[in-house]
Amino acid sequence: MNPDNKITQSQKMMVFVLSMSLYGLATLFTELIPSFQVGIVEFSVEYFLFIPLTLAMLFDPLSAAIGAAAGELVFSEIMLGQFGGLGELEKFITVTIGVYIAGRLVKDPRRRGVVAAASIIGVAVQQLMGCVVDILKVQFAVEDFEAVAGLPQSVFFTEGFACLNDILFSGILFCMLPTMYLVPKLYGKIEPLLGMKPRDEKTVFSGENSLSPKIIIMSIIGFAAAIVAELLASGGYELIDWEAAWAGSTTNIIIAIIIAAVVALVAIGVIRNRAAQAER
Amino acid sequence: MHKLTENILDKLTIDYLRNQVLKNAYGNDDTVIAKLDPRVLLIWYLFFGLVPWFLNDVALLLGLFLFVVMTTRAARIAPLVLFLFCVGVFSQTGYLFIVALFFGGNAETIAPLLVMTLKVAVVSLASITVFSGLDPDRLANGMLWFGCPGQLSFSISFAYRILPVLMEEFQNILLSFRLRGNPPQKKTFIGKIRYLGYQIKMIIQSFYPLMLNTAKRSRTTVEALELRGYRYSLQNPEVKRMKLAMLRVTRQDMIFVVISIIWVAVCVAISAALQDML
């Protein structure tokens, strides 16, 4: 019936829904449960990333990754009203890339060693990207970053430490160990529930190799987009500096922004009307 | 202090969380904000979510902050969400300030950080107003109108419906684990750590049955969607128009927009006057 062990469109949708609802639920809890600190070390249950990691290793990695990112966005950001606008794009992209890479690295989910290595690599990739973005964010958002006494060191220190802490502590305890426990246990049991064969070396995905150059390039482009989005959301000083000649005071800028908003509104209205007429 | 922690722990049961989230999602249909058109609110959010990042004037930012505080009040947001907002704002900037002091910063460090805190506060309160104050279905429809992918608006509607079910199921699984389990003693310090480890292990283990159950459920969901031609309807403009026909811009929306514009204009005028005086 399905000799190539291919994954159909509706099965991808199932994986998307599964990953979204489970990871969404988990992130909702982590958002609500306060983390506790011992000295400067933060013991946070930050991280239920083992859920999408497990799903990405058992099913189609891309659907699981996008589902996880969407779940986090919808459940913990939009439902709790913590939606940060454009800045959320950063988290969305880094989670997607991290989970996807981990999922693609595993060829045979029955081998625990590979599963462990892939999960820790996925976490590390995601955390490092997040760390770089965070540092850049503060650098652009605070005026005269270098001039404020003690700020640069403290930012590098806290961010670097948080990143290391997340990879080593949360990464091993809450991602690697649960994934190692869950993947072999679920293997062969969960796939029939979605009406597909267990994944093995022969399973066909949209790409071919486990880490083809295409994926790496796409990841880098995605990461660049994440940085740009985050900086646009939080910085914006650079944009103004270019036009500083006419934008002498804040007031001018605001007036310009309001005009732009009105123009955009009118434009949207016109476009919608045209589209509606064209459809009729 | 002891009583305080006990009090907080008392409140942090799964039931409480579920009630708060549900209340936040469905409990306030009758507020002023919830009755507004989602498209108008999204555009409003675009302004209040982006513009504060470009401002450095404390007076102006304070004015905007007061305004979003009022809209948040009007949207009657659940207390839990507001508490999370306070924690989030403090942990973003307050923590940084303390560490900056540690590295030889002084009171002057506080000025740029105050501006940053105000920016963060305005933006997040605006997003709380829009995304928590609105009914999820209306929010999803508004986003669909602006051309967001159909999957996203599906995810939002689906998430609000599946969440109570999932939470209840997770709680049942946890309870059954607890019934059958034998937790370690938690009298000594080492015992407490072991107890915590036991709890975490239990939570992780309970995801095993939860994953299997959710897999079954998501297959049912997707098959039901396919039967009703979901993927076809995503691309069909006719279906989309029917779905969005309920969106109307009314006089209330206009009043809301006008009030916002006037408020911002007054804030700008005040901040300009203050600058002249200095």
Side-chain angles (χ1 to χ4, degrees), chain A residues 72-83 88 91:
Chain A
E72 181 168 17
L73 188 77
V74 170
F75 278 77
S76 78
E77 314 290 338
I78 292 183
M79 277 178 92
L80 287 179
Q82 315 234 315
F83 188 65
E88 298 298 343
K91 222 191 228 164

Side-chain angles (χ1 to χ4, degrees), chain A residues 9 18 20 51 75 79-81 83 85 142 148 174 186 189 193-194 233 237 251 254 257 265 272 279, chain B residues 24 43 45 51 53 56 60 81 109 119 127-128 131 145 155 158 160 163 207 211 215 219 231 241 268:
Chain A
Q9 219 43 56
L18 176 63
M20 180 186 81
I51 296 164
F75 278 77
M79 277 178 92
L80 287 179
F83 188 65
V142 178
V148 180
F174 297 116
L186 284 168
K189 292 200 185 84
L193 292 175
L194 295 189
Y237 292 103
T251 326
I254 292 162
I257 288 169
L265 267 182
R272 299 296 310 189
E279 272 166 26
Chain B
N24 200 27
I43 292 171
Y45 170 67
V51 171
W53 294 115
N56 280 318
L60 187 56
V81 174
T109 321
K119 286 179 191 178
S127 80
I128 285 177
F131 291 101
W145 192 86
S155 303
F158 179 72
Y160 277 87
L163 185 71
F207 268 95
M211 272 181 172
R219 182 178 184 182
R231 248 186 297 141
R241 213 177 50 232
V268 171

Side-chain angles (χ1 to χ4, degrees), chain A residues 197-273:
Chain A
K197 279 188 197 158
R199 178 170 157 184
D200 52 25
E201 292 94 336
K202 281 174 273 170
T203 309
V204 179
F205 296 115
S206 31
E208 304 87 53
N209 305 320
S210 68
L211 260 187
S212 65
K214 200 174 141 202
I215 294 167
I216 295 174
I217 292 169
M218 287 302 280
S219 303
I220 291 170
I221 293 173
F223 182 45
I227 293 179
V228 170
E230 186 70 36
L231 292 184
L232 271 183
S234 57
Y237 292 103
E238 302 303 293
L239 293 176
I240 291 178
D241 279 348
W242 290 334
E243 283 127 76
W246 61 268
S249 70
T250 336
T251 326
N252 285 357
I253 297 172
I254 292 162
I255 293 168
I257 288 169
I258 292 169
I259 293 170
V262 171
V263 169
L265 267 182
V266 172
I268 288 173
V270 170
I271 291 168
R272 299 296 310 189
N273 267 336

Side-chain angles (χ1 to χ4, degrees), chain B residues 132-176:
Chain B
S132 273
L134 267 181
D135 198 61
D137 288 332
R138 286 172 69 83
L139 177 66
N141 279 341
M143 287 177 123
L144 195 64
W145 192 86
F146 280 110
C148 280
Q151 267 91 352
L152 185 66
S153 65
F154 161 74
S155 303
I156 294 176
S157 317
F158 179 72
Y160 277 87
R161 284 188 178 72
I162 200 76
L163 185 71
V165 182
L166 266 182
M167 270 183 156
E168 200 165 331
E169 190 161 324
F170 185 65
Q171 194 183 14
N172 283 343
I173 293 171
L174 263 185
L175 284 178
S176 68

